[in-house]
């Protein structure tokens, strides 16, 4: 059963996800970026490229590729710190080098600021296609090694060997920030990270403890229906699913539960004020609204789309990624951001 941190446990429950495939794939558009803090902020940011080894751990393999990054050095002072926003499963842009927490720290302490792009995302394409053979180089160890190589190279290039390095990240890149600090402590002095779904639960609870309670009840009811005789059919109706959930498929069940949990994770991650209230407030107001029915019906209200059924078939999700071309539908959403 789901207990205290309901959203955290949903993703680690009895419905395991298939290893190796991220639900966002190549289509995630990235973290919501802060507004620039000054006019003509784009002129402060330059785009650069650094040659990286394709395989950092095979010294017989001399293949290389060009990794993209963006740089803002307008505040740099002698021996100032190096601040790096780590790119995750998205295409980088200028936002975090023009506003937000890292920018404010950089302006205060005379820092050199970077935003690095993760291999296989945006314009950082290490291989000719995304075949299974080539995707063996898409893993966190290689990405962390890219970051370490980037830091070593830039410290020498900028004559900043004594500078403190602080890494920033959100979502998957938040994990990378913590892992990079652990794996390369000689290069990275500081990183901050908290378990994200615990943060989601606390964020909802700050607005309304009743919200957390009703979310827990709703997810418990989803689990109960998945084991009831006619429960999956009811879930299809409640959530406007394209098909009845396949309770014999751990992958389908994992995909379903992830889809439900992502509503809350994304709301907390991208919270801002819309129509006079925060997104968290709007979500919790729906989740605690008695006139919308039971907590399960309230969850269905915030998840389901009236004009389009919700596809939670894992095979359909994977099918999109079987096209190995960089021009495939799986990567088109990223290229359209250019």
């Amino acid at each position: 059963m789901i207990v205290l941190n309901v959203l955290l446990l949903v993703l680690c429950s009895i419905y395991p996800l298939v290893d190796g495939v991220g639900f966002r794939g190549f289509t995630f558009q990235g973290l919501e970026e802060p507004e620039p803090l000054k006019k003509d902020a784009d002129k402060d940011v330059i785009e650069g490229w650094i040659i990286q080894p394709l395989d950092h751990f095979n010294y017989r393999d001399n293949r290389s590729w060009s990794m993209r990054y963006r740089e803002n050095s307008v505040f740099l002072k002698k021996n100032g710190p190096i601040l790096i926003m780590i790119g995750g499963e998205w295409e980088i842009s200028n936002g975090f080098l023009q506003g937000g927490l890292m920018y404010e720290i950089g302006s205060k302490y005379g820092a050199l600021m970077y935003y690095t792009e993760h291999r296989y995302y945006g314009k950082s394409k290490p291989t000719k296609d995304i075949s299974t053979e080539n995707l063996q180089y898409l893993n966190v160890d290689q990405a962390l090694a890219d970051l370490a190589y980037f830091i070593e190279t830039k410290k020498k290039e900028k004559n900043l060997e004594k500078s403190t390095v602080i890494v920033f990240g959100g979502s998957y890149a938040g994990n990378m920030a913590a892992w990079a600090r652990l794996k390369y402590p000689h290069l990275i002095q500081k990183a901050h990270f908290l378990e994200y779904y615990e943060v989601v639960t606390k964020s909802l609870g700050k607005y309304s403890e009743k919200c957390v309670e009703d979310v827990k009840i709703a997810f418990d009811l989803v689990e109960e229906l998945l084991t009831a005789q006619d429960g999956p059919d009811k879930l299809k109706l409640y959530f406007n699913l394209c098909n009845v959930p396949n309770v014999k498929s751990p992958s389908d069940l994992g995909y379903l539960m992830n889809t439900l949990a992502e509503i809350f994770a994304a709301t907390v991650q991208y919270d801002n004020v819309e129509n006079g209230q925060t997104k968290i407030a709007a979500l919790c107001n729906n989740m605690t609204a008695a006139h919308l029915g039971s907590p399960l019906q309230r969850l269905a209200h915030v998840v389901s789309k009236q004009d389009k059924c919700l596809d939670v078939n894992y095979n359909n999700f994977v099918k999109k990624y079987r096209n190995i071309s960089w021009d495939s539908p799986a990567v088109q959403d990223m290229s359209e951001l250019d």
Side-chain angles (χ1 to χ4, degrees), residues 88-315:
E89 67 281 30
W90 55 79
E91 180 173 7
I92 63 171
S93 56
N94 290 348
F96 289 103
L97 299 176
Q98 300 173 333
L101 177 62
M102 186 177 79
Y103 182 87
E104 292 175 7
I105 294 174
S107 63
K108 182 176 180 179
Y109 294 101
L112 175 61
M113 297 180 291
Y114 288 108
Y115 194 177
T116 57
E117 191 163 71
H118 197 292
R119 54 171 58 201
Y120 287 87
Y121 292 91
K123 294 183 179 179
S124 296
K125 301 174 181 179
T127 54
K128 65 179 181 179
D129 57 35
I130 53 171
S131 64
T132 301
E133 179 183 1
N134 284 331
L135 284 181
Q136 67 179 298
Y137 304 108
L138 174 55
N139 60 68
V140 71
D141 289 320
Q142 296 285 0
L144 291 174
D146 288 340
L147 180 62
Y149 186 84
F150 179 85
I151 293 170
E152 289 179 326
T153 301
K154 288 302 173 182
K155 290 186 83 169
K156 292 178 181 178
E157 179 184 300
K158 303 290 186 178
N159 194 26
L160 293 172
E161 283 87 352
K162 296 181 180 180
S163 293
T164 297
V165 176
I166 303 174
V167 291
F168 298 75
S171 191
Y172 158 59
N175 287 280
M176 286 186 65
W179 295 329
R181 172 69 179 94
L182 292 172
K183 191 167 185 177
Y184 301 103
H186 63 294
L187 295 175
I188 299 167
Q189 284 67 52
K190 294 184 180 180
H192 300 282
F193 175 75
L194 295 173
E195 289 78 0
Y196 188 65
Y197 274 94
E198 291 182 6
V199 174
V200 172
T201 303
K202 291 178 181 177
S203 297
L204 298 179
K206 285 182 178 179
Y207 178 77
S208 167
E209 287 296 335
K210 183 68 163 61
C211 181
V212 174
E213 293 172 8
D214 286 349
V215 170
K216 177 186 182 302
I217 293 171
F219 275 88
D220 284 346
L221 290 172
V222 170
E223 287 199 333
E224 288 180 16
L225 285 176
L226 286 170
T227 59
Q229 184 173 0
D230 59 348
D233 293 283
K234 290 182 178 179
L235 288 175
K236 179 181 183 297
L237 178 63
Y238 288 153
F239 290 92
N240 191 24
L241 304 180
C242 297
N243 298 288
V244 176
N246 182 0
V247 297
K248 295 182 179 180
S249 169
S251 297
D252 278 13
L253 294 177
Y255 191 23
L256 168 64
M257 300 305 280
N258 178 83
T259 299
L260 301 183
E262 273 285 297
I263 297 295
F264 299 90
T267 297
V268 170
Q269 182 162 326
Y270 304 119
D271 189 36
N272 58 27
V273 177
E274 290 185 349
N275 301 319
Q277 64 178 343
T278 66
K279 291 181 179 179
I280 289 177
L283 178 61
C284 280
N285 288 341
N286 278 318
M287 284 304 304
T288 57
H291 71 275
L292 294 178
S294 69
L296 176 64
Q297 290 171 313
R298 298 171 209 165
L299 178 62
H301 175 77
V302 302
V303 172
S304 62
K305 300 177 180 179
Q306 298 302 320
D307 59 335
K308 184 179 181 182
C309 66
L310 186 63
D311 189 356
V312 292
N313 181 284
Y314 185 77
N315 285 335

